[in-house]
Amino acid sequence: MGRGTGELGRAERLPVLFLFLLSLFCPALCEQIRYRIPEEMPKGSVVGNLATDLGFSVQELPTRKLRVSSEKPYFTVSAESGELLVSSRLDREEICGKKPACALEFEAVAENPLNFYHVNVEIEDINDHTPKFTQNSFELQISESAQPGTRFILEVAEDADIGLNSLQKYKLSLNPSFSLIIKEKQDGSKYPELALEKTLDREQQSYHRLVLTALDGGNPPLSGTTELQIQVTDANDNPPVFNRDVYRVSLRENVPPGTTVLQVSATDQDEGINSEITYSFYRTGQIFSLNSKSGEITTQKKLDFEETKEYSMVVEGRDGGGLVAQCTVEINIQDENDNSPEVTFHSLLEMILENAVPGTLIALIKIHDQDSGENGEVNCQLQGEVPFKIISSSKNSYKLVTDGTLDREQTPEYNVTITATDRGKPPLSSSISVILHIRDVNDNAPVFHQASYLVSVPENNPPGASIAQVCASDLDLGLNGQVSYSIMASDLEPLALASYVSMSAQSGVVFAQRAFDYEQLRTFELTLQARDQGSPALSANVSLRVLVGDRNDNAPRVLYPALGPDGSALFDMVPRAAEPGYLVTKVVAVDADSGHNAWLSYHVLHASEPGLFSLGLRTGEVRTARALGDRDAARQRLLVAVRDGGQPPLSATATLHLVFADSLQEVLPDITDRPVPSDPQAELQFYLVVALALISVLFLLAVILAIALRLRRSSSPAAWSCFQPGLCVKSGPVVPPNYSEGTLPYSYNLCVAHTGKTEFNFLKCSEQLSSEQDILCGDSSGALFPLCNSSESTSHPELVNWRQWSHKPRAGAGARPGQGGGNCPPPGPHGLGWRRAASLQHSAHPCDSVGYK
């Protein structure tokens, strides 16, 4: 049926591209594609290549996802070729009815990016409908008295086609008594009238059969027929006559049933029963009713302008004699604003990116109002303050686009309400709401809860312990808001950083990899980073300063008094006449800890003579508490404890040896009694010196023996005078038996040490020597040195020359001014320490100097 005209085998396509400005609010251009095709094209027929007309290549089709958005699926788009195909039956008469122009408008939707394109497909009429009469035959009564020229309205045929394919003319079978007249209504439709050509004679022919044919203008034309059965009735001189041939009236829709439309009226000049007129519809109607006596036409049901805009009816007036008159009643239905606009969304985006630029297309809005005129003119607008706007796209079509910046973190979704209002009186409106969800993008970097972090960690913490935790939040969703943590930088050495701390990437907990030592590392700073998993990833940095807290893990260390390098103890000399409060010495100690842990206090644990000395609690100063008594020992010993302020406190002890003496000579005898600790290096040197001394002695003995033999041979008595008793060796070292200065109260034999250990040791003599007796002292090597007697010592005062006592103060005690040269000074008020094993250093002469280390 779709190919009956010969032009339907191939669709006639006429795509036309129109570009026009929408408005000042829509800077973009809209494209409209137009096609023209005949109706009744088979399914799958190609309307046109929509993709090509829109400028899409075949390669773009899978990503652009071109498709059709319409209320009824008349068309579809081929995913492979982009051609617009017919997907359902296209019946122009069913789609558009009697409208002179029939077009289907819809939108083609393309994604990535989302866009709409207006498509108009005009449906051309084909001659696929024949004219049809409502009845195959109908009867008509004509009185034999009817005069030639009398006209009778006949039934009209209906043709669903339009234009040339619609009903164009009527034909009547040949009959000398009748002819056919074609008339045209205001809407352009045509209807037939039967005209009487000559007087009828019922007695000759009471019944006439005629064929009425209706033809359209198609090629070839189609036709429909009906049979006219004309019955000739007996004479009735005057037929009814209507006041008007055509009655026209306008009626508003939605009038209630029973409303009077109009009243027709006909008159008959006859009398009696022949003048009584009965009214009826030529064809029975269901919308209106007719009073057969009065001719009043009323409505039977509610009228709807959107269904039928006008009605045309034929009313017959029949008198009692059977004569009939006809008139036409045309009722025009006036539209009322009884339909609210309908709003529908098409191709609505499920998710809107929050970084969408203003003007991004969100959805296509279709507005439909069944009313006409101003009642069908619609204004569309958004309700409330939302970052969207509506722009007109085409007639009754609008685009919903973004009109501002979107931020999902502030508003994750919008409830958008669109209201459509017509221009009727009163105006009608309708609203539709839709929830627009905003899709997250990675536009927020992680934010730490604090601008910087400061934690304190006590030292000696267990390795692997948690020392801090940082936390950052990201307002984004999903991977965009998933935060991981890492250590970016530190003021520690890069290689040492991993051995100190580590960080959990998920929780942000910082762990200590080792035990911290406050004395080695008091503080360090880390730069931590929080990074999300978006693409591209965003990050934020924060500083974490770690303060290592001190614990009392270091005991005090005594700096003074301390042992000498050779392990000998120190002593402090106190004048016998020291007054109470005399500063004897000072205990000096340090603590590697800090704060209260390093706050030292000094306490006496044990004293040889309690009450003789006092100790400063915080200063460590040792002072005399009272004067030295006769019964007090000259040597005193103090055991001092140094405690810190930690919890629990740690302590160290120091032993002070205090000697009451006015000069060093008083102290030396006690010093010599104490053995000097052996030194392996010194022993080695000693053995070397002994060996050298033995060799020297043997050599001297050999020389002396040779000299003695030579002298003996010469028999000279003067040569032996030096070996006689009472005589002194001129060049040997001598020590006078008494000292006029009074520095040494006792007599000592002076033994000379040899090279490598140039020290003199004072040895106490066992008995009183006479001035006439030789004094021989042996050193460790067994060498003997003769000493001069007292009478000879006076003649050699230069042999004993005490040049200098060398004094090196210990830590914590200062040297007194002038305490360098001359005779050995007595101990000062500061309690300067002296070594117990005093040594006499010699330079050029064995007795040249006495040194103290």
mmCIF file of all heavy atoms in Angstrom, residues 136-138 140 142 154 171-180 194-195 205 207-213 225-230:
data_model
loop_
_atom_site.group_PDB
_atom_site.id
_atom_site.type_symbol
_atom_site.label_atom_id
_atom_site.label_comp_id
_atom_site.label_asym_id
_atom_site.label_seq_id
_atom_site.Cartn_x
_atom_site.Cartn_y
_atom_site.Cartn_z
ATOM 1 N N ASN A 136 -24.308 2.441 2.266
ATOM 2 C CA ASN A 136 -24.268 1.969 0.878
ATOM 3 C C ASN A 136 -25.453 2.485 0.054
ATOM 4 O O ASN A 136 -25.359 2.579 -1.182
ATOM 5 C CB ASN A 136 -24.235 0.445 0.833
ATOM 6 C CG ASN A 136 -22.943 -0.114 1.418
ATOM 7 O OD1 ASN A 136 -21.913 0.540 1.324
ATOM 8 N ND2 ASN A 136 -23.021 -1.281 2.037
ATOM 9 N N SER A 137 -26.534 2.827 0.730
ATOM 10 C CA SER A 137 -27.714 3.378 0.052
ATOM 11 C C SER A 137 -28.510 4.201 1.044
ATOM 12 O O SER A 137 -28.421 3.980 2.253
ATOM 13 C CB SER A 137 -28.590 2.243 -0.521
ATOM 14 O OG SER A 137 -29.095 1.420 0.525
ATOM 15 N N PHE A 138 -29.256 5.115 0.527
ATOM 16 C CA PHE A 138 -30.157 5.899 1.384
ATOM 17 C C PHE A 138 -31.376 6.322 0.548
ATOM 18 O O PHE A 138 -31.317 6.388 -0.698
ATOM 19 C CB PHE A 138 -29.442 7.115 1.975
ATOM 20 C CG PHE A 138 -28.899 8.067 0.977
ATOM 21 C CD1 PHE A 138 -29.667 9.151 0.557
ATOM 22 C CD2 PHE A 138 -27.624 7.901 0.437
ATOM 23 C CE1 PHE A 138 -29.143 10.054 -0.352
ATOM 24 C CE2 PHE A 138 -27.122 8.805 -0.458
ATOM 25 C CZ PHE A 138 -27.863 9.883 -0.852
ATOM 26 N N LEU A 140 -34.731 8.837 -0.392
ATOM 27 C CA LEU A 140 -35.114 10.249 -0.516
ATOM 28 C C LEU A 140 -36.528 10.306 -1.077
ATOM 29 O O LEU A 140 -36.811 9.681 -2.104
ATOM 30 C CB LEU A 140 -34.151 10.985 -1.461
ATOM 31 C CG LEU A 140 -34.407 12.486 -1.635
ATOM 32 C CD1 LEU A 140 -34.267 13.237 -0.317
ATOM 33 C CD2 LEU A 140 -33.471 13.067 -2.681
ATOM 34 N N ILE A 142 -39.547 12.469 -2.638
ATOM 35 C CA ILE A 142 -39.821 13.717 -3.366
ATOM 36 C C ILE A 142 -41.294 13.679 -3.823
ATOM 37 O O ILE A 142 -41.762 12.693 -4.416
ATOM 38 C CB ILE A 142 -38.893 13.838 -4.585
ATOM 39 C CG1 ILE A 142 -37.417 13.839 -4.136
ATOM 40 C CG2 ILE A 142 -39.211 15.109 -5.371
ATOM 41 C CD1 ILE A 142 -36.445 13.892 -5.308
ATOM 42 N N LEU A 154 -27.637 15.992 -0.495
ATOM 43 C CA LEU A 154 -27.326 14.569 -0.437
ATOM 44 C C LEU A 154 -26.234 14.296 0.605
ATOM 45 O O LEU A 154 -25.534 15.198 1.068
ATOM 46 C CB LEU A 154 -26.874 14.072 -1.813
ATOM 47 C CG LEU A 154 -27.871 14.277 -2.956
ATOM 48 C CD1 LEU A 154 -27.303 13.748 -4.262
ATOM 49 C CD2 LEU A 154 -29.206 13.581 -2.652
ATOM 50 N N LYS A 171 -20.201 12.399 -8.965
ATOM 51 C CA LYS A 171 -20.857 12.076 -10.244
ATOM 52 C C LYS A 171 -22.168 11.345 -9.972
ATOM 53 O O LYS A 171 -22.247 10.557 -9.031
ATOM 54 C CB LYS A 171 -19.968 11.200 -11.121
ATOM 55 C CG LYS A 171 -18.782 11.920 -11.727
ATOM 56 C CD LYS A 171 -18.022 11.002 -12.660
ATOM 57 C CE LYS A 171 -16.835 11.717 -13.301
ATOM 58 N NZ LYS A 171 -16.088 10.824 -14.226
ATOM 59 N N LEU A 172 -23.176 11.655 -10.812
ATOM 60 C CA LEU A 172 -24.504 11.029 -10.681
ATOM 61 C C LEU A 172 -24.821 10.272 -11.964
ATOM 62 O O LEU A 172 -24.543 10.758 -13.073
ATOM 63 C CB LEU A 172 -25.569 12.095 -10.430
ATOM 64 C CG LEU A 172 -26.975 11.596 -10.073
ATOM 65 C CD1 LEU A 172 -26.973 10.831 -8.743
ATOM 66 C CD2 LEU A 172 -27.967 12.766 -10.040
ATOM 67 N N SER A 173 -25.301 9.109 -11.732
ATOM 68 C CA SER A 173 -25.692 8.335 -12.924
ATOM 69 C C SER A 173 -26.745 9.110 -13.733
ATOM 70 O O SER A 173 -27.514 9.889 -13.173
ATOM 71 C CB SER A 173 -26.237 6.962 -12.507
ATOM 72 O OG SER A 173 -27.365 7.110 -11.646
ATOM 73 N N LEU A 174 -26.743 8.898 -15.039
ATOM 74 C CA LEU A 174 -27.613 9.670 -15.934
ATOM 75 C C LEU A 174 -29.085 9.381 -15.670
ATOM 76 O O LEU A 174 -29.503 8.233 -15.545
ATOM 77 C CB LEU A 174 -27.273 9.346 -17.377
ATOM 78 C CG LEU A 174 -25.861 9.770 -17.849
ATOM 79 C CD1 LEU A 174 -25.643 9.331 -19.287
ATOM 80 C CD2 LEU A 174 -25.711 11.256 -17.692
ATOM 81 N N ASN A 175 -29.828 10.481 -15.577
ATOM 82 C CA ASN A 175 -31.277 10.398 -15.399
ATOM 83 C C ASN A 175 -31.851 11.738 -15.857
ATOM 84 O O ASN A 175 -31.407 12.792 -15.402
ATOM 85 C CB ASN A 175 -31.639 10.144 -13.939
ATOM 86 C CG ASN A 175 -33.118 9.801 -13.752
ATOM 87 O OD1 ASN A 175 -34.008 10.614 -14.044
ATOM 88 N ND2 ASN A 175 -33.389 8.615 -13.249
ATOM 89 N N PRO A 176 -32.833 11.698 -16.771
ATOM 90 C CA PRO A 176 -33.364 12.963 -17.318
ATOM 91 C C PRO A 176 -34.104 13.816 -16.304
ATOM 92 O O PRO A 176 -34.255 15.021 -16.491
ATOM 93 C CB PRO A 176 -34.280 12.501 -18.426
ATOM 94 C CG PRO A 176 -34.634 11.093 -18.112
ATOM 95 C CD PRO A 176 -33.466 10.514 -17.410
ATOM 96 N N SER A 177 -34.536 13.197 -15.204
ATOM 97 C CA SER A 177 -35.333 13.955 -14.229
ATOM 98 C C SER A 177 -34.453 14.630 -13.167
ATOM 99 O O SER A 177 -34.940 15.510 -12.440
ATOM 100 C CB SER A 177 -36.354 13.031 -13.544
ATOM 101 O OG SER A 177 -37.231 12.462 -14.500
ATOM 102 N N PHE A 178 -33.166 14.234 -13.081
ATOM 103 C CA PHE A 178 -32.329 14.765 -11.997
ATOM 104 C C PHE A 178 -30.959 15.194 -12.543
ATOM 105 O O PHE A 178 -30.479 14.665 -13.557
ATOM 106 C CB PHE A 178 -32.129 13.697 -10.914
ATOM 107 C CG PHE A 178 -33.408 13.209 -10.313
ATOM 108 C CD1 PHE A 178 -34.018 12.034 -10.764
ATOM 109 C CD2 PHE A 178 -34.026 13.936 -9.287
ATOM 110 C CE1 PHE A 178 -35.205 11.582 -10.191
ATOM 111 C CE2 PHE A 178 -35.212 13.472 -8.733
ATOM 112 C CZ PHE A 178 -35.797 12.298 -9.174
ATOM 113 N N SER A 179 -30.404 16.142 -11.808
ATOM 114 C CA SER A 179 -29.037 16.580 -12.107
ATOM 115 C C SER A 179 -28.297 16.800 -10.779
ATOM 116 O O SER A 179 -28.935 16.878 -9.705
ATOM 117 C CB SER A 179 -29.041 17.870 -12.933
ATOM 118 O OG SER A 179 -29.630 18.928 -12.175
ATOM 119 N N LEU A 180 -26.989 16.917 -10.861
ATOM 120 C CA LEU A 180 -26.163 17.028 -9.654
ATOM 121 C C LEU A 180 -25.457 18.370 -9.631
ATOM 122 O O LEU A 180 -24.857 18.799 -10.622
ATOM 123 C CB LEU A 180 -25.118 15.895 -9.597
ATOM 124 C CG LEU A 180 -24.310 15.779 -8.296
ATOM 125 C CD1 LEU A 180 -25.228 15.430 -7.131
ATOM 126 C CD2 LEU A 180 -23.197 14.739 -8.449
ATOM 127 N N LEU A 194 -28.939 17.436 -5.055
ATOM 128 C CA LEU A 194 -29.712 16.857 -6.157
ATOM 129 C C LEU A 194 -30.753 17.880 -6.632
ATOM 130 O O LEU A 194 -31.544 18.357 -5.811
ATOM 131 C CB LEU A 194 -30.398 15.572 -5.710
ATOM 132 C CG LEU A 194 -31.199 14.808 -6.753
ATOM 133 C CD1 LEU A 194 -30.274 14.282 -7.861
ATOM 134 C CD2 LEU A 194 -31.980 13.668 -6.113
ATOM 135 N N ALA A 195 -30.726 18.198 -7.916
ATOM 136 C CA ALA A 195 -31.649 19.204 -8.469
ATOM 137 C C ALA A 195 -32.686 18.491 -9.356
ATOM 138 O O ALA A 195 -32.329 17.607 -10.152
ATOM 139 C CB ALA A 195 -30.894 20.233 -9.270
ATOM 140 N N GLN A 205 -43.977 6.654 -12.709
ATOM 141 C CA GLN A 205 -42.797 6.004 -12.103
ATOM 142 C C GLN A 205 -42.720 6.469 -10.658
ATOM 143 O O GLN A 205 -42.470 7.626 -10.380
ATOM 144 C CB GLN A 205 -41.523 6.369 -12.849
ATOM 145 C CG GLN A 205 -40.316 5.602 -12.379
ATOM 146 C CD GLN A 205 -39.064 5.938 -13.215
ATOM 147 O OE1 GLN A 205 -39.166 6.688 -14.192
ATOM 148 N NE2 GLN A 205 -37.911 5.369 -12.827
ATOM 149 N N TYR A 207 -40.718 5.147 -8.392
ATOM 150 C CA TYR A 207 -39.447 4.834 -7.699
ATOM 151 C C TYR A 207 -38.307 5.015 -8.686
ATOM 152 O O TYR A 207 -38.353 4.514 -9.821
ATOM 153 C CB TYR A 207 -39.454 3.383 -7.182
ATOM 154 C CG TYR A 207 -38.533 3.150 -5.999
ATOM 155 C CD1 TYR A 207 -38.928 3.440 -4.718
ATOM 156 C CD2 TYR A 207 -37.258 2.635 -6.208
ATOM 157 C CE1 TYR A 207 -38.082 3.210 -3.655
ATOM 158 C CE2 TYR A 207 -36.392 2.410 -5.141
ATOM 159 C CZ TYR A 207 -36.805 2.709 -3.848
ATOM 160 O OH TYR A 207 -35.963 2.492 -2.795
ATOM 161 N N HIS A 208 -37.238 5.757 -8.213
ATOM 162 C CA HIS A 208 -36.062 6.010 -9.048
ATOM 163 C C HIS A 208 -34.808 5.540 -8.287
ATOM 164 O O HIS A 208 -34.668 5.775 -7.079
ATOM 165 C CB HIS A 208 -35.922 7.510 -9.368
ATOM 166 C CG HIS A 208 -37.063 8.051 -10.175
ATOM 167 N ND1 HIS A 208 -37.093 8.075 -11.557
ATOM 168 C CD2 HIS A 208 -38.275 8.613 -9.778
ATOM 169 C CE1 HIS A 208 -38.191 8.605 -12.000
ATOM 170 N NE2 HIS A 208 -38.973 8.953 -10.925
ATOM 171 N N ARG A 209 -33.886 4.902 -9.029
ATOM 172 C CA ARG A 209 -32.608 4.458 -8.430
ATOM 173 C C ARG A 209 -31.460 5.161 -9.167
ATOM 174 O O ARG A 209 -31.319 5.008 -10.373
ATOM 175 C CB ARG A 209 -32.452 2.949 -8.525
ATOM 176 C CG ARG A 209 -33.475 2.184 -7.676
ATOM 177 C CD ARG A 209 -33.243 0.680 -7.800
ATOM 178 N NE ARG A 209 -34.195 -0.067 -7.006
ATOM 179 C CZ ARG A 209 -34.044 -0.398 -5.726
ATOM 180 N NH1 ARG A 209 -32.939 -0.029 -5.091
ATOM 181 N NH2 ARG A 209 -34.966 -1.084 -5.101
ATOM 182 N N LEU A 210 -30.678 5.865 -8.396
ATOM 183 C CA LEU A 210 -29.537 6.581 -8.953
ATOM 184 C C LEU A 210 -28.258 6.158 -8.199
ATOM 185 O O LEU A 210 -28.307 5.795 -7.023
ATOM 186 C CB LEU A 210 -29.715 8.100 -8.844
ATOM 187 C CG LEU A 210 -30.972 8.687 -9.511
ATOM 188 C CD1 LEU A 210 -31.074 10.175 -9.219
ATOM 189 C CD2 LEU A 210 -30.914 8.428 -11.002
ATOM 190 N N VAL A 211 -27.113 6.258 -8.888
ATOM 191 C CA VAL A 211 -25.808 5.930 -8.279
ATOM 192 C C VAL A 211 -25.002 7.225 -8.149
ATOM 193 O O VAL A 211 -24.762 7.908 -9.150
ATOM 194 C CB VAL A 211 -25.033 4.893 -9.099
ATOM 195 C CG1 VAL A 211 -23.656 4.648 -8.482
ATOM 196 C CG2 VAL A 211 -25.825 3.588 -9.194
ATOM 197 N N LEU A 212 -24.620 7.525 -6.888
ATOM 198 C CA LEU A 212 -23.818 8.712 -6.616
ATOM 199 C C LEU A 212 -22.364 8.254 -6.395
ATOM 200 O O LEU A 212 -22.104 7.384 -5.558
ATOM 201 C CB LEU A 212 -24.341 9.435 -5.379
ATOM 202 C CG LEU A 212 -23.576 10.691 -4.957
ATOM 203 C CD1 LEU A 212 -23.644 11.758 -6.056
ATOM 204 C CD2 LEU A 212 -24.138 11.242 -3.641
ATOM 205 N N THR A 213 -21.434 8.809 -7.153
ATOM 206 C CA THR A 213 -20.014 8.429 -7.080
ATOM 207 C C THR A 213 -19.195 9.620 -6.594
ATOM 208 O O THR A 213 -19.355 10.745 -7.091
ATOM 209 C CB THR A 213 -19.489 7.982 -8.445
ATOM 210 O OG1 THR A 213 -20.298 6.879 -8.923
ATOM 211 C CG2 THR A 213 -18.034 7.561 -8.358
ATOM 212 N N THR A 225 -18.938 4.777 -3.971
ATOM 213 C CA THR A 225 -20.306 4.970 -4.495
ATOM 214 C C THR A 225 -21.327 4.650 -3.424
ATOM 215 O O THR A 225 -21.039 3.936 -2.451
ATOM 216 C CB THR A 225 -20.564 4.053 -5.697
ATOM 217 O OG1 THR A 225 -20.411 2.679 -5.288
ATOM 218 C CG2 THR A 225 -19.601 4.359 -6.835
ATOM 219 N N THR A 226 -22.543 5.191 -3.632
ATOM 220 C CA THR A 226 -23.718 4.884 -2.818
ATOM 221 C C THR A 226 -24.946 4.964 -3.719
ATOM 222 O O THR A 226 -24.936 5.659 -4.741
ATOM 223 C CB THR A 226 -23.857 5.842 -1.641
ATOM 224 O OG1 THR A 226 -24.934 5.402 -0.807
ATOM 225 C CG2 THR A 226 -24.104 7.262 -2.077
ATOM 226 N N GLU A 227 -25.973 4.294 -3.340
ATOM 227 C CA GLU A 227 -27.190 4.240 -4.170
ATOM 228 C C GLU A 227 -28.251 5.159 -3.580
ATOM 229 O O GLU A 227 -28.521 5.110 -2.377
ATOM 230 C CB GLU A 227 -27.717 2.811 -4.238
ATOM 231 C CG GLU A 227 -28.932 2.657 -5.149
ATOM 232 C CD GLU A 227 -29.463 1.252 -5.169
ATOM 233 O OE1 GLU A 227 -29.486 0.609 -4.092
ATOM 234 O OE2 GLU A 227 -29.842 0.797 -6.234
ATOM 235 N N LEU A 228 -28.837 6.012 -4.468
ATOM 236 C CA LEU A 228 -29.934 6.898 -4.066
ATOM 237 C C LEU A 228 -31.251 6.225 -4.448
ATOM 238 O O LEU A 228 -31.499 5.903 -5.619
ATOM 239 C CB LEU A 228 -29.823 8.241 -4.778
ATOM 240 C CG LEU A 228 -28.615 9.113 -4.428
ATOM 241 C CD1 LEU A 228 -28.638 10.402 -5.246
ATOM 242 C CD2 LEU A 228 -28.616 9.456 -2.960
ATOM 243 N N GLN A 229 -32.071 5.996 -3.475
ATOM 244 C CA GLN A 229 -33.407 5.403 -3.703
ATOM 245 C C GLN A 229 -34.443 6.513 -3.503
ATOM 246 O O GLN A 229 -34.716 6.904 -2.381
ATOM 247 C CB GLN A 229 -33.647 4.239 -2.756
ATOM 248 C CG GLN A 229 -32.673 3.091 -2.940
ATOM 249 C CD GLN A 229 -32.849 1.979 -1.914
ATOM 250 O OE1 GLN A 229 -33.724 2.055 -1.052
ATOM 251 N NE2 GLN A 229 -32.033 0.909 -2.029
ATOM 252 N N ILE A 230 -34.959 7.019 -4.640
ATOM 253 C CA ILE A 230 -35.885 8.169 -4.609
ATOM 254 C C ILE A 230 -37.305 7.630 -4.774
ATOM 255 O O ILE A 230 -37.622 6.943 -5.771
ATOM 256 C CB ILE A 230 -35.553 9.155 -5.733
ATOM 257 C CG1 ILE A 230 -34.119 9.660 -5.564
ATOM 258 C CG2 ILE A 230 -36.560 10.320 -5.735
ATOM 259 C CD1 ILE A 230 -33.663 10.544 -6.705
#
